Amino acid sequence: MDLSPLQIARYEYTPKLPGMLRNGISEICVKEGAETQSVADQDKIKALFPNTYGKKEITFEKGQNTSPAKKQVVGVILSGGQAPGGHNVVCGLYDALKATNKDNVLLGFKKGPDGLLKNEYVEFDDKFIDAYRNTGGFDIIGSGRTKLETEEQFNIVAENAKKNGLTAVVIIGGDDSNTNAATLAEYMAAKNTGIQVIGCPKTIDGDLKNEDIEASFGFDTATKTYSELIGNIERDANSAKKYWHFIKVMGRSASHVALECALETQPNICLIGEEVAAKKMSLAEITNYIADAVEKRGNNGNNFGVAIIPEGIVEFVPEFSALIAEINELLAGSKTEEFNALPTWDAKYQFIENGLTKEAMAVFALLPTGIQQQLFLERDPHGNVQVSLIESEKLFSELVKNELAKRKAAGTYVGKFGAQHHFFGYEGRCAFPSNFDADYCYSLGFNAFMLIQYGYTGYLSKVSNISKPADEWIAGGMPITKMMNMERRNGQDKPVIRKALVELDGKPFKYFEAHRETWAVETAFTYPGAIQYYGPASVCDLTTRTLALEKS
Ligand code: FBP
């Protein structure tokens, strides 16, 4: 058997398009809305994007297709981390392109931006595309994290595009990749290349969203996958009644993934990085917050529970970020070699103690030895601590264990504490896309081609009203510059798409906040189970709780 039964079944699935795109290509017309402005720093963004700034929002409608009949040769890349549904963006793009003119060509550039720079691509045909319909992963052409941002890179991309007769490039990526898409679009327009650039909003992290983009694709499937696993662990915890499970979930800095999983599974604890930052919580305060729940439950005879920890949590703890900054300084330049040459951990500890300020050392001393050593082992190519690799699930369970030992000695805690650790990230990034992601992604790709066909550039493919059934979805496009502001990056002010962190006055967080005290002490677990692809829409076509609450 070469294919799994589900794979075969998913090939047959027909993704749902927004109602207005369902009448056939000849009946899709465009309606232009108001001119746009960037979310902040309008003068600066306008000056940096003179050719693509201020363009109009557009929506598609049923009506006579009036787009020019020219042959299109489109190049597409997948950029950044995998997210379920990427293949369907390519399939939707391909189907719209071929339905418009069978001589149109779609080239898939390999391994992300590198493919455009090295001119490595495949030409898609029906057989190629059919093997990837409704499947997870980015293996169709691969992905990469090279940033497309320098003039030199743009020159190479333009040269390669010209060589292949490209009329447009589609960049499927997150906030950084789409920022680069906007810059590339501006470059192509300024040089009068005639090459259009369109972006599609991808990332499981859920942090590419704003008043126009209701959700990035992949967030739905990834969080459903993690929630299934967390629900299974909750059942196990509630069956065995002997472990506290500390579960770190991916999502980079923002805590959208953790929050969505908490809304789906009602764990005892879920930390939210943005709240930790807003309240300037210390490691001790976070530890006490978790230990309080463990103590209450343990004293009631419930020596088990589940705590969700967002990947980016430690960056939000002010004293921890200060410590990381000092460690980066301490090991700058040749000092790393000096440190590495020290023969024992004791000697290294001495070096650290001599080099850190008293405040930073006090935080460092609190950490379990394993985490202390991790901070000096895992460095990125620039010599910085890789914060996302810190095993924060182990960090907090260790700190809680130490705190509980004190409480036991003081006689306030009478329970038992045993911990298990998990990290869920890669498990969810290439899952078969949920029906929602399969439909949304296919629509984004189809829509991206309609934007190309109507001559737009520097736009993000936009499908909105997505908390409703697909026939009510609204297809269109939004100038990427509308989502941009100036931010400090590597010591320079740069125009970037504004990243969306969890809003503490938003409905998803408010709902969580209103329930978490009960969830902390009671066993209120909910078990979402596996993603369902076939069956009633009430089970199979559900959007995330985050989206449902935001739109409620
Ligand atoms: P994108 O922002 O590129 O979509 O990537 C998301 C992500 O899955 C993060 O949640 C995670 O921190 C990171 O990628 C992991 O990256 P890598 O695949 O390079 O290990």
Side-chain angles (χ1 to χ4, degrees):
M1 188 177 69
D2 294 320
L3 299 172
S4 73
L6 184 64
Q7 203 171 338
I8 296 166
R10 290 313 276 166
Y11 283 158
E12 319 266 291
Y13 178 77
T14 307
K16 298 185 270 298
L17 279 171
M20 65 202 39
L21 298 180
R22 288 184 192 172
N23 307 296
I25 294 286
S26 62
E27 284 193 52
I28 301 174
C29 72
V30 75
K31 185 179 160 212
E32 291 200 330
E35 285 177 356
T36 56
Q37 293 229 324
S38 58
V39 282
D41 308 309
Q42 288 85 6
D43 292 343
K44 287 184 183 157
I45 306 282
K46 189 175 178 182
L48 290 165
F49 295 87
N51 296 282
T52 49
Y53 185 84
K55 302 282 179 208
K56 293 173 177 164
E57 168 175 14
I58 72 112
T59 45
F60 292 113
E61 289 189 337
K62 183 172 157 39
Q64 179 66 40
N65 186 332
T66 56
S67 63
K70 77 168 187 188
K71 182 182 163 187
Q72 301 279 8
V73 181
V74 177
V76 62
I77 62 163
L78 292 158
S79 184
Q82 282 71 252
H87 288 166
N88 266 26
V89 181
V90 178
C91 296
L93 178 63
Y94 178 85
D95 286 353
L97 169 141
K98 289 290 181 188
T100 300
N101 177 350
K102 64 177 178 18
D103 294 329
N104 283 345
V105 175
L106 181 62
L107 304 181
F109 285 83
K110 295 180 184 173
K111 298 190 192 153
D114 274 355
L116 286 171
L117 294 167
K118 295 181 182 157
N119 201 27
E120 290 174 359
Y121 62 85
V122 290
E123 181 175 338
F124 292 117
D125 58 19
D126 290 354
K127 193 169 165 227
F128 199 135
I129 287 287
D130 287 348
Y132 290 93
R133 290 186 187 275
N134 307 304
T135 56
F138 276 9
D139 45 320
I140 186 169
I141 42 176
S143 184
R145 290 199 183 276
T146 300
K147 290 195 189 314
L148 273 186
E149 52 190 357
T150 65
E151 177 94 7
E152 195 191 349
Q153 288 175 316
F154 292 159
N155 288 336
I156 300 172
V157 171
E159 222 168 84
N160 289 333
K162 224 191 255 166
K163 230 184 265 171
N164 298 308
L166 292 192
T167 53
V169 175
V170 174
I171 295 182
I172 304 170
D175 55 331
D176 280 343
S177 307
N178 279 299
T179 292
N180 297 152
T183 318
L184 182 63
E186 178 61 31
Y187 170 95
M188 294 292 190
K191 301 269 175 190
N192 277 319
T193 61
I195 298 166
Q196 299 159 241
V197 182
I198 299 294
C200 286
K202 169 235 75 165
T203 180
I204 63 153
D205 299 348
D207 56 3
L208 172 48
K209 70 173 167 182
N210 46 52
E211 59 179 29
D212 295 304
I213 303 303
E214 293 173 12
S216 56
F217 78 75
F219 179 72
D220 184 88
T221 309
T223 53
K224 282 186 166 83
T225 306
Y226 306 143
S227 298
E228 178 206 350
L229 297 173
I230 294 168
N232 294 349
I233 285 174
E234 287 179 338
R235 273 269 202 233
D236 197 289
N238 199 13
S239 305
K241 300 195 191 295
K242 61 176 180 180
Y243 293 127
W244 265 83
H245 293 265
F246 285 74
I247 306 171
K248 179 167 91 164
V249 291
M250 249 188 193
R252 235 182 252 286
S253 308
S255 300
H256 297 290
V257 172
L259 178 57
E260 171 62 19
C261 292
L263 295 170
E264 289 282 353
T265 61
Q266 303 188 179
N268 306 101
I269 298 287
C270 175
L271 302 179
I272 300 296
E274 291 81 345
E275 184 183 27
V276 166
K279 293 185 174 165
K280 298 194 171 42
M281 287 173 83
S282 64
L283 283 178
E285 282 169 319
I286 302 171
T287 304
N288 280 328
Y289 169 65
I290 304 174
D292 286 349
V294 178
E295 181 185 309
K296 277 189 201 138
R297 286 179 63 76
N299 289 351
N300 290 339
N302 293 318
N303 291 304
F304 65 96
V306 167
I308 300 179
I309 318 282
E311 179 177 44
I313 190 75
V314 288
E315 285 174 61
F316 286 101
V317 182
E319 59 186 357
F320 204 93
S321 330
L323 168 66
I324 302 282
E326 283 201 26
I327 293 177
N328 288 338
E329 279 296 310
L330 184 63
L331 294 192
S334 61
K335 288 200 229 131
T336 303
E337 279 166 34
E338 192 188 327
F339 176 82
N340 287 343
L342 295 169
T344 60
W345 175 244
D346 282 348
K348 287 179 173 162
Y349 199 93
Q350 196 59 55
F351 177 97
I352 297 164
E353 207 163 19
N354 294 339
L356 294 181
T357 59
K358 238 168 73 198
E359 294 76 27
M361 194 57 210
V363 179
F364 187 74
L366 266 183
L367 306 177
T369 310
I371 302 283
Q372 287 178 338
Q373 291 176 338
Q374 231 171 53
L375 290 175
F376 284 84
L377 283 176
E378 314 280 8
R379 340 254 326 140
D380 73 9
H382 309 287
N384 295 328
V385 174
Q386 294 201 58
V387 181
S388 70
L389 296 183
I390 294 169
E391 293 178 306
S392 41
E393 70 282 23
K394 291 192 182 151
L395 166 66
F396 285 110
S397 100
E398 266 307 295
L399 294 177
V400 166
K401 190 172 108 187
N402 297 342
E403 173 61 25
L404 290 171
K406 284 191 219 151
R407 295 185 186 194
K408 193 151 236 177
T412 55
Y413 172 56
V414 296
K416 280 191 204 144
F417 179 74
Q420 295 289 343
H421 307 108
H422 315 263
F423 171 40
F424 296 148
Y426 300 99
E427 293 81 349
R429 300 200 311 180
C430 287
F432 277 103
S434 61
N435 287 351
F436 171 83
D437 268 329
D439 299 347
Y440 182 44
C441 290
Y442 187 83
S443 302
L444 286 170
F446 196 100
N447 192 51
F449 183 73
M450 295 319 299
L451 290 168
I452 293 168
Q453 186 61 18
Y454 272 102
Y456 293 97
T457 190
Y459 276 66
L460 201 61
S461 177
K462 170 178 168 179
V463 175
S464 52
N465 209 27
I466 52 176
S467 59
K468 297 275 163 40
D471 58 339
E472 293 173 42
W473 291 359
I474 299 164
M478 184 58 71
I480 302 175
T481 50
K482 181 178 177 226
M483 303 163 195
M484 296 176 100
N485 65 170
M486 301 298 292
E487 284 176 26
R488 202 88 187 141
R489 298 276 169 97
N490 298 328
Q492 283 181 312
D493 285 338
K494 293 255 182 189
V496 292
I497 294 180
R498 188 184 266 175
K499 214 185 240 315
L501 297 177
V502 168
E503 287 177 11
L504 300 182
D505 54 359
K507 286 180 185 166
F509 180 78
K510 284 285 167 206
Y511 182 91
F512 167 69
E513 194 182 34
H515 292 84
R516 65 178 162 188
E517 262 179 54
T518 312
W519 298 351
V521 184
E522 292 174 12
T523 304
F525 302 153
T526 44
Y527 312 112
I531 296 175
Q532 300 296 307
Y533 301 93
Y534 300 98
S538 59
V539 176
C540 300
D541 292 352
L542 288 177
T543 51
T544 57
R545 294 276 295 135
T546 302
L547 189 60
L549 285 163
E550 280 169 350
K551 298 292 163 194
S552 65

